[in-house]
Amino acid sequence: MLSKALYPIVYLKLTSIQLFPVSIPRPEVRDIYDGGDYLVLVTTDRQSAFDRVLASIPFKGQVLNETSLWWFNQTQHVIPNAVVSSPDRNVMIAKKCSVFPVEYVVRGYVTGSTDTSLWTVYQKGLRNYCGNALPDGMVKNQKLAANILTPTTKAADHDVPITPEEIIRSGLISESDYTEASKAALRLFEYGQRIAWEHGLILVDTKYEFGKGSDGAVLLIDEVHTPDSSRYWIADSYEDRFQNGLEPENIDKEFLRLWFKDNCNPYEDEVLPEAPTELVSELSWRYIHLYETITKSKFELPSTKEPIHDRISSNVARVLSSLP
């Protein structure tokens, strides 16, 4: 049993470091701080879905941060990223970017349970989604003939699907920037699928975010192929379970999302039920398992001797003082 008391939601002590919180319009996994020429991104243990926080998952912040760092290092041949340093297991320091106001969601399968998931809209009869024509007769968890890009805008309270034409026509992003980021998103996903397959997993879908650096270069930002931003299935059992109408074995947060959908209306209920302890522990284990499976390295549990916010504040202050 993992102790939530020992690993609370993490944060920086602003009294000991000259940083300013960046206001964000809705609950997010990361706390973002302005450090002048840099942003400090602290990945917390908060678990979000349905555009709200559902629970606190032990070790989750560390898992997401270290998983992203591994993928950032592995994908530099596809597109450069904004990461400058990782002074702490829960923290990245990144270059400030002009962030594109669009999330690039790439999908390889018809699945999902949220309002914007491909299976949800397909089940309602939609056959053209974000500019992608979908054939009749598909069933849940079926593989698409080819990977598709389904962008969404970053609205204040929820994501809104949008077509590439609408993005360009509305001036959200220039046509050249959209095209460059779109090609990068599809290449990143194809690469991620290949690596996942080599490790016995299926990368089902994911989302990417991009921004523009001070030199005008398009950069990959935020997170990459984490179990928060992505859906992973176990490769060996997928085909058999699909043929028998069973849900794929997954290593992501989908089972927790489904629990909340079965026990409340997560979009409209003002107060949500508390996530069962066994599901919280299970999700923590799955996230750690995914990290170890993908990176082929052992997850190192953090020490409990120093309060996590003291540790993070000290590490961030030390590295920021050495940056130009």
Side-chain angles (χ1 to χ4, degrees):
M1 171 65 182
L2 302 174
S3 171
K4 287 191 286 185
L6 288 176
Y7 297 94
I9 295 174
V10 298
Y11 60 96
L12 281 173
K13 281 188 171 179
L14 297 179
T15 55
S16 61
I17 185 169
Q18 294 301 308
L19 294 173
F20 301 94
V22 175
S23 176
I24 49 180
R26 52 179 168 163
E28 296 287 355
V29 170
R30 287 167 185 79
D31 289 335
I32 304 175
Y33 299 87
D34 190 329
D37 293 331
Y38 306 99
L39 290 179
V40 178
L41 296 88
V42 182
T43 311
T44 76
D45 292 343
R46 291 193 295 266
Q47 181 64 60
S48 67
F50 309 108
D51 302 314
R52 60 198 302 182
V53 173
L54 303 181
S56 178
I57 310 298
F59 312 113
K60 177 177 178 278
Q62 180 182 334
V63 169
L64 294 191
N65 194 62
E66 293 185 344
T67 301
S68 272
L69 285 169
W70 189 88
W71 280 110
F72 274 127
N73 288 331
Q74 297 294 317
T75 57
Q76 293 185 72
H77 66 287
V78 177
I79 185 171
N81 58 69
V83 178
V84 173
S85 174
S86 177
D88 185 274
R89 293 172 177 179
N90 287 69
V91 181
M92 278 187 218
I93 295 178
K95 300 174 186 175
K96 271 190 178 175
C97 294
S98 174
V99 179
F100 294 166
V102 170
E103 290 188 351
Y104 290 71
V105 182
V106 187
R107 307 177 189 271
Y109 293 76
V110 183
T111 192
S113 59
T114 65
D115 284 354
T116 57
S117 73
L118 193 54
W119 174 243
T120 300
V121 298
Y122 187 86
Q123 204 176 18
K124 292 178 179 177
L126 196 65
R127 293 296 179 268
N128 192 300
Y129 191 49
C130 301
N132 299 283
L134 303 169
D136 289 326
M138 299 196 77
V139 296
K140 189 179 183 186
N141 303 324
Q142 183 175 344
K143 183 174 172 51
L144 292 162
N147 297 328
I148 62 172
L149 182 63
T150 59
T152 66
T153 61
K154 297 192 228 179
D157 56 351
H158 63 282
D159 296 332
V160 179
I162 189 171
T163 67
E165 291 75 17
E166 290 170 333
I167 290 172
I168 295 166
R169 187 169 62 247
S170 64
L172 287 173
I173 307 174
S174 71
E175 184 172 3
S176 60
D177 285 344
Y178 178 80
T179 300
E180 182 176 350
S182 297
K183 289 179 178 178
L186 289 167
R187 290 198 305 269
L188 285 165
F189 190 66
E190 290 168 3
Y191 178 75
Q193 284 183 312
R194 178 162 60 83
I195 298 299
W197 184 262
E198 291 172 357
H199 293 76
L201 300 173
I202 296 172
L203 178 59
V204 179
D205 51 40
T206 195
K207 65 96 177 170
Y208 304 105
E209 296 193 45
F210 300 92
K212 223 170 195 182
S214 57
D215 60 355
V218 175
L219 303 173
L220 180 63
I221 63 172
D222 195 43
E223 61 183 322
V224 192
H225 299 162
T226 71
D228 248 26
S229 66
S230 315
R231 200 185 313 267
Y232 285 93
W233 292 338
I234 304 296
D236 286 348
S237 62
Y238 163 73
E239 190 60 37
D240 183 64
R241 294 181 70 86
F242 175 71
Q243 294 300 332
N244 287 282
L246 300 173
E247 285 293 312
E249 293 182 282
N250 65 75
I251 318 182
D252 53 54
K253 62 185 178 183
E254 181 66 7
F255 76 96
L256 188 64
R257 279 193 291 235
L258 292 173
W259 184 88
F260 275 94
K261 286 203 76 172
D262 289 342
N263 289 275
C264 65
N265 184 332
Y267 285 108
E268 297 181 7
D269 290 353
E270 185 175 343
V271 179
L272 298 182
E274 186 172 348
T277 301
E278 62 272 18
L279 294 189
V280 169
S281 297
E282 172 68 17
L283 187 55
S284 181
W285 176 85
R286 289 190 190 199
Y287 275 29
I288 292 172
H289 177 65
L290 177 65
Y291 168 80
E292 293 184 337
T293 301
I294 288 289
T295 67
K296 295 298 181 185
S297 58
K298 184 71 175 173
F299 181 77
E300 295 184 16
L301 296 176
S303 169
T304 61
K305 294 180 180 178
E306 183 180 17
I308 192 168
H309 46 274
D310 289 346
R311 186 199 79 204
I312 288 175
S313 297
S314 173
N315 289 338
V316 169
R318 174 178 49 80
V319 171
L320 273 182
S321 65
S322 66
L323 291 176

